[in-house]
Amino acid sequence: MKKHNKEHHGSQDLTLPWYLILSCCCCWKTSDLVVPPRLALLLLCQAESSTRSSHPTDFNLSSLFSPTSAARAAARAGLTDAGGEREKCDGSDVTEGDESQPAMMAKKQDARAPIYNLIVVGLSGTEKEKGQCGVGKSCFCNRYVRPSADDFYLDHTSVLSTSDFGGRVVNNDHFLFWGEVSRVFEEGPECRMHVVEQTEFIDDQTFQPHRSTAMQPYIKRAAGTKLSSAEKLMYFCTDQLGLEQDFEQKQMPEGKLQVDGFLLCVDVSRGMNRNFDDQLKFVTNLYGHISKTKKPIVLVLTKCDEGVERYIKDAHTFGITKKSLPVVETSARSNINVDLAFLTLVQLIDKGRGKPKIIPYFEALKLQSQQIASAKDRYEWLINRIVKNHNETWLNTSRRMNTSPEFKEYVFLEGTAKCKKLFQQHVYRLKQEHIERRRKIYLSTLPLALSSLVPDLDEIDQLSWSGVQKVLESKQHFAHWFVVLEDSPWEDTSHIDNMEDERIPSDLLETGEAEDLFNAHLEHLRNECRRAEMRPWEEARSFIMNEEFYQWLEETEYLDLYNRHQKEIIDRAKEDFQELLLEYSELFYELEVDAKPSKEKMGAIQEVLGEEQRFKALQKLPAERDALVLKHIHFVYHPTKETCPSSPHCGDFKIEQLLVSRFPTCYPFFDVKAHFGDTKADRINLVILGKDGLAREFANEIRALCTNDDWYVLDGKMYELTLRPIEGNVRLPVNSFNTPTFTPHGCLCLYNSKESLSYVIESLERLRESTLGRRDSQLAQLPTSLLLVTKRGVGSYVEIGGETALHLITQGQQTARRLQCSFLDPASPGVGYGHNVNESQINQVLRGLLDIRRSTSFKLSLLSYHASFTLRKSRLVHGYIAVYSVSRKASLETLCAFLCEVQDIIPVQLLAVGDSQAELTDSDYACEQQMQGEELAHEIEGRFNSVVCGSGGLWEVCIG
């Protein structure tokens, strides 16, 4: 017999005339299988008909006798595979005469991917047997079959009605078919898996197991090696039951599934109403039955994110005693090591896929945390690049990002809800920036509007800002400059997006910025009026024009000097007049003036003040003098630091600035938004500082205790907890404590070795050095706590990283004293396996931050006299320390007016302050002021002291 060999891409194809092949006897053998003669004849006839049109004499023998073609032909011929192939045909067929041979071959290779039937078992039964919640079998299966965050469900109930139990999903069985999964592993070709969960469904009426066709106990039923259920549908979630038509309907394969291996689940968390020792007894009994099947078994520890150290150690001990049973620590909620558990079982089933490489839980957690952080950074970069307008909607933006790998990756890892939350935060920042730009445009237009609508000083000189607003509304051209919006505030209306309409929203006039601009406009009009009323420059020039120096300067320079001199005289006269009004503080309280005093009361004030020289100094500026009187009356009627005549140099502002600069954590009331961000008590921003993964691991532990929306329950109240783990150089922007979206309320420093403690010390010192003299210097006073933590698996503090715990604790306490931060007692052994701290320590840190932000046990308020009026109305005051200057009469008179409103039962301490000891003892005026203070203290049955305020800021008591 003559053979024709043909070389093609380095492989040999055997090509023969079909009539020669018919002469072959017995059977033929290819490289893959032995073909019986009867099957060979069938294949040759098929090949002859398919190749007759293109090549009547030759055809490819190697392609003809491929294993897949042989298997299909055998099925058509009614032959069985003597070799007992374990994989099932997927039912797909190839049209005869198809010439796209490469595609056919690829499809045939896919069909050859092996299928493994994997069974998930564990403690099941009634609430009495398994507690209030299951051991996590359903979540474990859900995370593996559908790993995307959006497809993961935490709630899977086993208590069903009779109708749900009889539906096509459960199908009157006590097991769930989770579907078919395909995976490509590093070693070996792609494989497919059928995932089945063995459970026990409870009747919602009798709370006993449902009656089914297989009435065996759970342990015997779970150890079965064959499963079948006609027309059973793939399970998705509890909501699917009764609504099967709303979900994809994929049936469980017909016939009996041959079980290839078991995943034995053990819940290592502190389950409610469930004793772990009882669970371990159940698992031991269950293992005894499934081990008799001689099928591979993997012990899966579920809920390790909430794991208890003793439980996990006992589970590892159990695995060691059972012929070194592989143990995989997992968390379905955090998606840690779920794939690894199934891969380990597949490798035990198919030895050709390599040996199992089990990764410890916290090592896998660290890797996944880094992956999520990296994916979040890429997703935020994508949002910043795509979303430039605050009016963008999530629906449109998500459609635009739908094909972006950054979006897909973060959705897969964290879910659509968290993607949407980050988008909303970005849009909110864009909107705030847009509002601020529009506000600046409106405020820059307001001076022009005021100059156009109220150019006359007489019209507005005697009016308050609220009265001026009414005057503006009455003007004919008001609508040209302003727009009245139906909805308010203006930031929430569509007007901010109407770039063509630059009219000012009318409610913007209610802001302090608008009032400041009005005051500037009013001052400008008064200056203009003053220039018109003053002695003209020509008259003043006549006194100096004959002097020799007159020729040294230009005319314009003399005029400028003259105007500045006149302004200084007027400003000094105003300050003196304002001091005069303060010295007569009791007069205004006795007259009980209101915001609009009558002519009679105004006349009484002028009569009392008329003989004073400081009153007469402004007789050529009566309008401005009356305006100062009205402003002071308004201040008396509504005393605040904004209405204070000295504003913005009011003492309250200066006190707040001083306290915030020196004690930012104790007095965070000044410019809170600019310095400390959001001060709502229901939000906590915490920096976690640690080295070599400590910060990220600790942050993940806290997040595991939070709800899905990062809300933390503390003392029965919900707090939005935002964490920022930092593990690198704090001087780099990427490791900055403060970001545009994160302003810390506190810092928790973690260490477990001498090196990690040195990192904490160095980082805090760098932070404080870098913030000296800057606006964010309050970071140097950030509330800080120091905590010694153990490494994973360390059960006690006897030794950590080669150093004794006692030595590390001593070093930590010394560091805490030096850095002026609190030192937390280390967690007791056995509280939580693999956990750095326990929940009580987290609560201790958070309570400390909340106490600093809203301490109510004892509070000392430093206020001006006028600010205390508001304080008395809103808070309970237990006493006053009233301070006055011995060199200023207005200080003592304001104190007297203040005491008129203080109840007799409230204790008062009077404190006279002098700049030096000599002033207190040698100055006649100061001595007189002290005598008046002593008499006043005796009159109100209070106490009196005088103190010296030295250059170092120390006070010394002089008189007891």
Side-chain angles (χ1 to χ4, degrees):
M1 183 182 296
K2 186 178 180 181
K3 296 182 179 180
H4 302 274
N5 295 331
K6 185 178 180 180
E7 287 289 326
H8 182 65
H9 294 286
S11 63
Q12 289 189 341
D13 291 337
L14 185 60
T15 306
L16 297 172
W18 67 275
Y19 54 82
L20 292 179
I21 298 175
L22 282 176
S23 64
C24 295
C25 59
C26 296
C27 63
W28 293 335
K29 182 176 181 180
T30 69
S31 60
D32 295 315
L33 77 164
V34 178
V35 184
R38 181 180 168 194
L39 173 58
L41 288 174
L42 177 63
L43 290 171
L44 291 171
C45 293
Q46 177 183 344
E48 190 275 336
S49 62
S50 64
T51 60
R52 186 181 301 275
S53 59
S54 60
H55 203 295
T57 59
D58 295 335
F59 69 96
N60 190 304
L61 180 61
S62 60
S63 64
L64 171 64
F65 287 114
S66 66
T68 307
S69 300
R72 289 180 178 168
R76 294 194 185 104
L79 299 175
T80 58
D81 184 3
E85 286 283 344
R86 67 169 309 285
E87 65 270 23
K88 298 179 178 63
C89 180
D90 61 356
S92 62
D93 200 1
V94 181
T95 306
E96 295 183 4
D98 188 357
E99 297 180 359
S100 58
Q101 188 173 349
M104 291 171 57
M105 293 301 296
K107 196 167 186 179
K108 292 170 185 176
Q109 289 175 3
D110 293 341
R112 287 180 54 79
I115 300 179
Y116 304 107
N117 300 315
L118 310 181
I119 311 301
V120 179
V121 298
L123 177 62
S124 299
T126 62
E127 182 176 329
K128 181 180 179 181
E129 296 165 337
K130 67 180 180 62
Q132 291 187 2
C133 60
V135 298
K137 300 189 300 296
S138 298
C139 291
F140 177 67
C141 295
N142 186 171
R143 181 63 83 178
Y144 183 67
V145 177
R146 287 174 280 278
S148 174
D150 288 339
D151 296 329
F152 179 69
Y153 298 90
L154 273 175
D155 298 325
H156 299 275
T157 183
S158 60
V159 181
L160 304 179
S161 65
T162 304
S163 60
D164 288 342
F165 182 74
R168 288 187 60 193
V169 175
V170 181
N171 214 28
N172 289 309
D173 301 315
H174 282 283
F175 69 87
L176 294 172
F177 174 65
W178 280 91
E180 181 179 305
V181 185
S182 296
R183 288 287 192 275
V184 178
F185 299 119
E186 293 181 1
E187 299 183 12
E190 176 188 11
C191 71
R192 294 181 294 164
M193 288 156 278
H194 290 147
V195 179
V196 176
E197 175 193 351
Q198 284 282 10
T199 184
E200 192 157 51
F201 291 107
I202 308 301
D203 192 329
D204 63 354
Q205 298 295 323
T206 64
F207 294 98
Q208 295 299 318
H210 276 286
R211 297 180 62 87
S212 67
T213 53
M215 292 303 297
Q216 296 175 318
Y218 175 81
I219 290 181
K220 290 186 177 181
R221 186 174 66 251
T225 58
K226 295 182 180 180
L227 291 173
S228 63
S229 184
E231 298 183 352
K232 186 181 183 71
L233 293 180
M234 177 175 63
Y235 172 75
F236 284 89
C237 60
T238 304
D239 296 339
Q240 178 190 11
L241 304 180
L243 299 172
E244 291 82 359
Q245 68 278 3
D246 296 340
F247 293 79
E248 178 186 357
Q249 296 190 3
K250 187 174 182 180
Q251 292 188 17
M252 178 177 170
E254 296 295 336
K256 292 188 176 181
L257 295 182
Q258 298 288 338
V259 176
D260 294 307
F262 294 90
L263 293 134
L264 178 56
C265 294
V266 179
D267 184 357
V268 293
S269 68
R270 201 181 301 275
M272 296 183 64
N273 299 334
R274 180 174 65 227
N275 185 280
F276 181 77
D277 295 332
D278 294 339
Q279 181 190 185
L280 206 56
K281 291 179 183 178
F282 180 92
V283 170
T284 303
N285 192 10
L286 178 58
Y287 173 80
H289 282 75
I290 62 178
S291 62
K292 295 177 182 178
T293 64
K294 306 299 182 181
K295 303 292 183 181
I297 304 171
V298 173
L299 187 64
V300 179
L301 309 189
T302 60
K303 306 182 185 178
C304 283
D305 54 324
E306 301 175 356
V308 178
E309 181 178 5
R310 184 180 69 83
Y311 298 168
I312 298 182
K313 285 187 176 180
D314 291 348
H316 276 277
T317 303
F318 172 81
I320 294 173
T321 58
K322 304 302 180 183
K323 300 179 181 179
S324 297
L325 190 67
V327 180
V328 182
E329 300 169 0
T330 68
S331 170
R333 178 168 63 179
S334 302
N335 196 10
I336 305 296
N337 281 347
V338 175
D339 275 29
L340 177 63
F342 283 89
L343 170 61
T344 302
L345 182 58
V346 170
Q347 289 175 323
L348 293 177
I349 296 171
D350 187 352
K351 303 296 184 180
R353 294 183 179 274
K355 294 183 179 180
K357 299 177 183 178
I358 298 177
I359 303 175
Y361 175 79
F362 273 92
E363 183 178 338
L365 176 63
K366 181 178 180 180
L367 293 175
Q368 192 209 38
S369 300
Q370 294 172 352
Q371 181 185 8
I372 291 176
S374 177
K376 182 180 178 182
D377 292 341
R378 289 192 293 272
Y379 173 66
E380 289 180 334
W381 169 85
L382 178 66
I383 291 179
N384 291 329
R385 184 171 62 86
I386 292 179
V387 182
K388 304 294 185 182
N389 192 322
H390 67 277
N391 290 317
E392 288 283 359
T393 63
W394 169 246
L395 182 61
N396 293 333
T397 304
S398 59
R399 287 175 180 173
R400 292 168 59 191
M401 297 189 299
N402 200 33
T403 58
S404 301
E406 297 86 359
F407 175 72
K408 290 181 179 179
E409 181 185 18
Y410 196 66
V411 167
F412 179 84
L413 293 174
E414 290 289 81
T416 305
K418 288 198 174 181
C419 287
K420 184 177 180 181
K421 183 178 180 180
L422 289 178
F423 164 80
Q424 290 172 337
Q425 291 175 352
H426 175 71
V427 168
Y428 177 78
R429 288 195 296 271
L430 291 179
K431 183 175 181 180
Q432 295 306 309
E433 293 171 0
H434 177 73
I435 290 174
E436 187 59 29
R437 286 194 297 269
R438 296 294 289 174
R439 184 196 307 275
K440 291 180 179 178
I441 293 175
Y442 296 146
L443 292 177
S444 65
T445 308
L446 183 58
L448 300 177
L450 294 175
S451 300
S452 174
L453 298 178
V454 284
D456 189 2
L457 177 64
D458 296 336
E459 186 178 13
I460 59 175
D461 196 23
Q462 306 297 326
L463 298 179
S464 63
W465 174 228
S466 58
V468 173
Q469 293 180 44
K470 295 179 180 180
V471 173
L472 292 174
E473 294 173 1
S474 64
K475 296 295 182 177
Q476 181 179 359
H477 298 291
F478 176 78
H480 174 74
W481 294 96
F482 299 91
V483 56
V484 180
L485 303 173
E486 295 181 0
D487 299 325
S488 60
W490 65 273
E491 297 97 328
D492 297 333
T493 66
S494 59
H495 182 70
I496 63 173
D497 297 322
N498 189 353
M499 306 305 292
E500 297 180 356
D501 189 354
E502 295 187 355
R503 291 182 298 171
I504 306 170
S506 58
D507 55 335
L508 188 65
L509 296 175
E510 303 292 338
T511 63
E513 296 97 327
E515 186 173 1
D516 291 341
L517 290 173
F518 164 73
N519 291 332
H521 172 69
L522 187 62
E523 185 65 22
H524 173 72
L525 294 179
R526 288 171 178 169
N527 289 337
E528 293 296 326
C529 182
R530 190 183 307 118
R531 290 191 182 94
E533 295 177 352
M534 280 185 194
R535 178 183 300 176
W537 160 240
E538 288 76 9
E539 184 178 348
R541 184 180 56 180
S542 62
F543 293 99
I544 62 173
M545 60 185 307
N546 294 326
E547 298 292 337
E548 181 180 357
F549 64 81
Y550 180 74
Q551 298 179 357
W552 294 354
L553 301 176
E554 298 291 336
E555 180 78 10
T556 55
E557 293 178 299
Y558 279 117
L559 180 60
D560 181 62
L561 289 172
Y562 172 79
N563 290 334
R564 279 191 288 172
H565 177 66
Q566 290 294 329
K567 185 177 184 304
E568 289 175 1
I569 295 175
I570 294 173
D571 290 343
R572 194 181 308 115
K574 285 183 177 180
E575 292 176 1
D576 293 342
F577 183 68
Q578 184 63 57
E579 188 75 6
L580 176 67
L581 295 177
L582 291 174
E583 292 176 5
Y584 282 87
S585 295
E586 285 192 86
L587 169 65
F588 291 92
Y589 287 104
E590 291 172 358
L591 291 176
E592 297 181 353
V593 294
D594 52 19
K596 295 182 179 180
S598 61
K599 292 183 179 180
E600 291 77 10
K601 291 184 178 181
M602 286 293 292
I605 293 173
Q606 292 183 3
E607 182 178 355
V608 174
L609 302 178
E611 298 301 321
E612 291 284 349
Q613 182 60 36
R614 287 170 287 182
F615 181 85
K616 296 177 180 180
L618 292 174
Q619 61 183 357
K620 292 187 176 182
L621 299 173
E624 295 196 12
R625 186 176 59 189
D626 292 344
L628 288 174
V629 173
L630 290 174
K631 185 176 182 180
H632 186 77
I633 290 174
H634 178 64
F635 164 66
V636 172
Y637 178 74
H638 185 59
T640 65
K641 57 188 176 186
E642 287 78 15
T643 60
C644 176
S646 301
S647 180
H649 304 293
C650 175
D652 284 330
F653 283 116
K654 294 183 178 180
I655 291 173
E656 291 172 356
Q657 291 173 358
L658 178 63
L659 292 178
V660 168
S661 63
R662 296 191 177 183
F663 312 102
T665 59
C666 301
Y667 300 96
F669 51 77
F670 175 70
D671 197 9
V672 173
K673 292 185 177 179
H675 290 274
F676 289 89
D678 187 3
T679 59
K680 293 181 180 178
D682 60 356
R683 178 168 183 172
I684 304 175
N685 294 339
L686 180 64
V687 170
I688 303 176
L689 186 65
K691 187 180 181 182
D692 297 333
L694 284 180
R696 290 193 178 277
E697 290 176 10
F698 177 77
N700 288 325
E701 291 175 20
I702 297 182
R703 293 189 182 106
L705 298 173
C706 297
T707 64
N708 291 335
D709 296 329
D710 296 332
W711 285 87
Y712 186 86
V713 180
L714 178 63
D715 299 332
K717 184 176 179 180
M718 301 285 287
Y719 296 91
E720 184 178 359
L721 183 60
T722 304
L723 306 176
R724 181 171 174 78
I726 296 177
E727 299 180 346
N729 188 346
V730 296
R731 289 183 176 177
L732 298 178
V734 70
N735 295 318
S736 174
F737 274 47
N738 205 345
T739 69
T741 60
F742 182 90
T743 302
H745 299 131
C747 175
L748 178 61
C749 303
L750 308 175
Y751 75 101
N752 60 3
S753 64
K754 183 177 180 180
E755 291 75 16
S756 56
L757 180 60
S758 299
Y759 165 76
V760 168
I761 298 173
E762 181 181 358
S763 298
L764 293 180
E765 289 178 347
R766 285 182 176 180
L767 175 69
R768 295 178 180 182
E769 290 174 2
S770 62
T771 56
L772 289 176
R774 288 169 43 185
R775 292 185 62 187
D776 58 351
S777 60
Q778 75 281 353
L779 286 178
Q781 301 292 333
L782 193 67
T784 305
S785 301
L786 185 63
L787 175 65
L788 171 64
V789 298
T790 58
K791 294 182 180 179
R792 184 177 188 273
V794 176
S796 68
Y797 287 90
V798 176
E799 190 166 321
I800 303 174
E803 299 174 289
T804 60
L806 183 61
H807 181 59
L808 285 177
I809 292 175
T810 303
Q811 283 188 324
Q813 291 172 341
Q814 293 174 353
T815 301
R817 286 193 294 269
R818 182 161 64 89
L819 297 178
Q820 297 183 351
C821 62
S822 60
F823 182 81
L824 301 178
D825 293 331
S828 58
V831 174
Y833 176 80
H835 289 268
N836 290 325
V837 294
N838 56 25
E839 189 172 356
S840 63
Q841 289 176 312
I842 300 173
N843 293 343
Q844 181 181 353
V845 173
L846 299 183
R847 286 194 189 99
L849 295 180
L850 292 174
D851 290 342
I852 290 175
R853 297 175 62 199
R854 56 180 188 187
S855 175
T856 57
S857 58
F858 175 77
K859 185 170 184 179
L860 177 64
S861 299
L862 276 72
L863 303 169
S864 63
Y865 290 122
H866 54 268
S868 65
F869 285 98
T870 305
L871 181 70
R872 289 203 305 267
K873 295 179 181 179
S874 59
R875 300 181 190 176
L876 177 63
V877 179
H878 297 92
Y880 293 100
I881 301 176
V883 183
Y884 73 95
S885 172
V886 295
S887 61
R888 187 180 177 192
K889 182 180 178 180
S891 180
L892 179 59
E893 294 299 328
T894 306
L895 185 153
C896 294
F898 162 76
L899 292 177
C900 293
E901 300 293 329
V902 176
Q903 298 179 358
D904 296 337
I905 61 174
I906 298 179
V908 178
Q909 165 78 59
L910 298 187
L911 200 61
V913 178
D915 292 334
S916 64
Q917 183 65 39
E919 181 183 21
L920 290 176
T921 57
D922 299 341
S923 172
D924 295 339
Y925 184 80
C927 292
E928 182 182 353
Q929 290 286 91
Q930 292 180 72
M931 290 179 58
Q932 293 183 15
E934 288 186 86
E935 294 174 359
L936 179 61
H938 178 73
E939 181 181 345
I940 63 173
E941 298 181 357
R943 293 187 177 184
F944 177 82
N945 288 84
S946 62
V947 297
V948 174
C949 183
S951 58
L954 300 176
W955 285 359
E956 301 175 357
V957 178
C958 302
I959 300 177

